[in-house]
């Protein structure tokens, strides 16, 4: 009989190492995140690390996946019946995430674009989950509230909007002098609702 | 006295090699574009290539710069007094460019995100030039036509829109089944005009 403790312990250890990986990613690009560095910071052997993460590529993918899960958890919409309020709250927490974690987020985005097929898929799935959540969270859903029909064109344009948000917020966090935080969030929210209203119907 | 012919010849040769580099980029990512491959395809020595492009990094930057110049030239707005017509024409030629050159464009975008500071700057400048042109081309300008005041917030949001266009068009070219080409272009145009109207004023 496998006891709960024995079954959980390696998972917890692995989880701690991933957390450390995400923390290290916050101050350097992914390609500088070596197994050696992680072993040194964690105070355990390289051999044990390879036991948890088959190879460096697997380790990098696990770290990127963990970072996207963290972003996903930190931007969970509030439970409010008004879709505008839900969206504004999610955008606000997303901006706060990039504000407090700019280098880590930049490392994540760059790793996703630069990476192999698997890495890009992890990031694309995460971004799709983030945007799809906008549609599915709470009742009435955004689409119900606005009487908009779901379609592949709508989903494509909304994912395009999330690429816009990524670009705009990263640039703004780098140099926020000229633009207020709330006007920025308001403009991005309004852009989404307009994009949904005029997405290709076919 | 340096004759016109002697002065131009090396430039022309360099230009031909860059064209070849861009053509090779159309079927493989930048990291597979080696000096060896270029020398083999061009039928000249590695030494001569190093004479034209100091090192591999310089060569890669020159190829990426050349590819962005090509994109810029191919999407020049038409000379029409209606800003809508100008934008639709530019978007149409941009979509056509990505349609006929998907892998090359993907290589370009990935190289930009994955690359060093210099590479990202080349790409960012190119994208800024592409979007700034929307404002400056022909009279009345877009802003004049719509009575919109220029501002840093406006420019930031419009560059965000261009990131959205990049994402949407690349995804659509990969799988165009569900969405018509013209409805896609119309939605992207409308999105820009709405984004301009609601950009942060501060």
């Amino acid at each position: 009989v496998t006891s709960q403790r024995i079954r959980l312990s390696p998972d917890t250890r692995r989880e701690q190492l991933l957390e450390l990986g995400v923390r290290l990613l916050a101050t350097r690009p992914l390609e500088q995140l070596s197994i050696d560095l992680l072993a040194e910071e964690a105070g355990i052997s390289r051999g044990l690390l390879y036991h948890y993460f088959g190879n460096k590529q697997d380790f990098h993918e696990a770290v990127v996946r963990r970072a996207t899960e963290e972003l996903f958890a930190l931007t969970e919409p509030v439970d409010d019946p008004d879709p505008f309020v839900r969206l504004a709250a999610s955008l606000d927490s997303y901006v706060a995430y990039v504000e407090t974690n700019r280098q880590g987020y930049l490392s994540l985005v760059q790793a996703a674009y630069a990476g192999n097929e698997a890495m890009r898929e992890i990031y694309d799935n995460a971004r799709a989950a983030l945007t799809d959540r906008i549609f599915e969270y709470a009742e009435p859903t955004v689409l119900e509230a606005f009487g908009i029909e779901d379609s592949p064109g709508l989903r494509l344009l909304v994912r395009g909007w999330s690429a816009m948000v990524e670009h705009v917020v990263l640039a703004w966090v780098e140099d926020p002098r000229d633009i207020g935080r709330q006007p920025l969030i308001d403009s991005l929210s309004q852009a989404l609702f307009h994009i949904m209203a005029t997405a290709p119907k076919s």
Side-chain angles (χ1 to χ4, degrees), chain A residues 1 3 10 30-31 41 51-52 60 63 71 73 85 107 111 113 162-163 180 192 199:
Chain A
V1 181
S3 88
L30 188 67
E31 70 260 25
E41 294 280 334
H51 168 73
Y52 286 113
H60 280 180
V63 168
L71 170 60
V85 172
S107 300
Y113 281 102
S162 75
L192 176 62

Side-chain angles (χ1 to χ4, degrees), chain A residues 13 17 44-53:
Chain A
R13 192 59 189 266
L17 291 169
I44 61 177
S45 72
R46 300 177 81 238
L48 194 54
L49 278 175
Y50 281 114
H51 168 73
Y52 286 113
F53 311 100

Side-chain angles (χ1 to χ4, degrees), chain A residues 125-178:
Chain A
N125 286 344
R127 200 150 73 170
L130 277 168
T131 53
D132 286 352
R133 188 170 54 172
I134 294 170
F135 294 98
E136 286 142 19
Y137 205 88
E139 302 278 336
T141 66
V142 172
L143 298 180
E144 285 164 359
F146 291 89
I148 298 167
E149 209 178 317
D150 204 351
S151 73
L154 181 76
R155 295 292 173 130
L156 177 62
L157 269 282
V158 171
R159 286 179 195 177
W161 171 82
S162 75
M164 170 176 164
V165 170
E166 180 183 291
H167 179 89
V168 165
V169 173
L170 267 170
W172 178 78
V173 166
E174 203 154 316
D175 180 9
R177 284 170 304 172
D178 291 322

